[in-house]
Amino acid sequence: SAVISQKPSRDICQRGTSLTIQCQVDSQVTMMFWYRQQPGQSLTLIATANQGSEATYESGFVIDKFPISRPNLTFSTLTVSNMSPEDSSIYLCSVEDPQDRMDYTFGSGTRLTVV
Amino acid sequence: DQQVKQNSPSLSVQEGRISILNCDYTNSMFDYFLWYKKYPAEGPTFLISISSIKDKNEDGRFTVFLNKSAKHLSLHIVPSQPGDSAVYFCAVTNFGNEKLTFGTGTRLTIIP
């Protein structure tokens, strides 16, 4: 399976600021996925990031709040903009293994606390 | 609108006994089903999956059962071990979709 390096692993941020989360994959992948897990809840897909095109956002998520970059086939960033305490969550990136379709690997997650 | 539900938020099982985790989904178009395990401060790790053409898939101590008519899947772990204590998520998707929809999770605690 693909191996994902995600950072930072955690951060405490002031409201109104922005945080950029990075995911590096050890192999080239077509799509990368960004999820949010709010406290006590399930993982919710934020957006799908394709290299060379704009990310596709799920209902309830907008690019101004969660801008995504995908400069190449092994790297992506998610920015949480103008943060409020409601943005306190775990954010995870995920990829579909290029060698084994339907095998999804997740990063270790970024635990964000907004104060 | 929760398309995937895990009605038991928590479950405690004695070590060595069978753990059964359940998952219900609403959309009959889903055709691929996965189980993930998540430890604190780590990302989910893949456990086992099943496609809609099967009703059972087994991998070591883990077996997933799919009941398409009931839109229900379950994960059996036997024998349960202390290292199995984690949060378990079911996830559903379609071939060709690549998006996973997750259940709400069940926290499994194995009692030594």
Side-chain angles (χ1 to χ4, degrees):
Chain A
S1 297
V3 176
I4 301 175
S5 174
Q6 181 175 345
K7 57 183 179 182
S9 58
R10 58 176 60 230
D11 208 340
I12 301 173
C13 300
Q14 296 287 330
R15 69 175 67 203
T17 63
S18 298
L19 175 72
T20 296
I21 302 165
Q22 301 179 5
C23 273
Q24 178 76 49
V25 189
D26 69 344
S27 53
Q28 293 185 338
V29 294
T30 305
M31 286 188 281
M32 294 181 73
F33 306 90
W34 287 97
Y35 287 85
R36 178 176 75 180
Q37 185 185 14
Q38 294 178 297
Q41 300 200 21
S42 183
L43 288 81
T44 302
L45 182 63
I46 298 171
T48 303
N50 292 324
Q51 193 268 336
S53 63
E54 280 207 5
T56 303
Y57 289 82
E58 298 299 305
S59 175
F61 298 97
V62 295
I63 187 171
D64 289 347
K65 177 67 176 176
F66 297 101
I68 287 171
S69 78
R70 186 79 204 275
N72 57 53
L73 290 173
T74 64
F75 186 78
S76 179
T77 67
L78 170 77
T79 299
V80 186
S81 302
N82 188 24
M83 289 183 284
S84 66
E86 292 70 34
D87 294 319
S88 297
S89 296
I90 298 173
Y91 293 85
L92 300 113
C93 61
S94 174
V95 302
E96 185 181 25
D97 193 293
Q99 305 301 324
D100 186 3
R101 229 173 142 243
M102 307 307 283
D103 178 4
Y104 295 86
T105 303
F106 286 80
S108 53
T110 297
R111 182 179 293 274
L112 170 62
T113 303
V114 183
V115 296
Chain B
D1 177 24
Q2 188 69 36
Q3 294 191 73
V4 186
K5 292 182 182 178
Q6 295 174 251
N7 290 320
S8 298
S10 63
L11 176 67
S12 294
V13 175
Q14 288 281 345
E15 181 179 359
R17 306 292 288 267
I18 184 171
S19 296
I20 300 176
L21 298 98
N22 294 303
C23 177
D24 296 292
Y25 59 96
T26 57
N27 189 340
S28 59
M29 297 301 291
F30 291 128
D31 58 13
Y32 197 76
F33 309 88
L34 309 93
W35 283 96
Y36 284 83
K37 177 168 73 173
K38 187 179 184 304
Y39 293 118
E42 294 183 16
T45 54
F46 172 76
L47 269 179
I48 192 169
S49 61
I50 188 168
S51 73
S52 59
I53 63 173
K54 294 185 173 182
D55 55 18
K56 176 183 174 181
N57 189 27
E58 192 171 352
D59 183 1
R61 297 187 297 115
F62 302 94
T63 303
V64 56
F65 295 92
L66 176 63
N67 183 332
K68 290 185 288 293
S69 60
K71 300 192 191 69
H72 177 85
L73 67 153
S74 62
L75 175 68
H76 293 208
I77 306 173
V78 57
S80 300
Q81 299 174 354
D84 296 330
S85 295
V87 178
Y88 289 78
F89 292 96
C90 62
V92 303
T93 188
N94 303 97
F95 280 102
N97 186 350
E98 290 104 5
K99 295 180 187 177
L100 296 178
T101 301
F102 283 86
T104 46
T106 297
R107 181 178 300 277
L108 175 64
T109 302
I110 304 302
I111 305 165

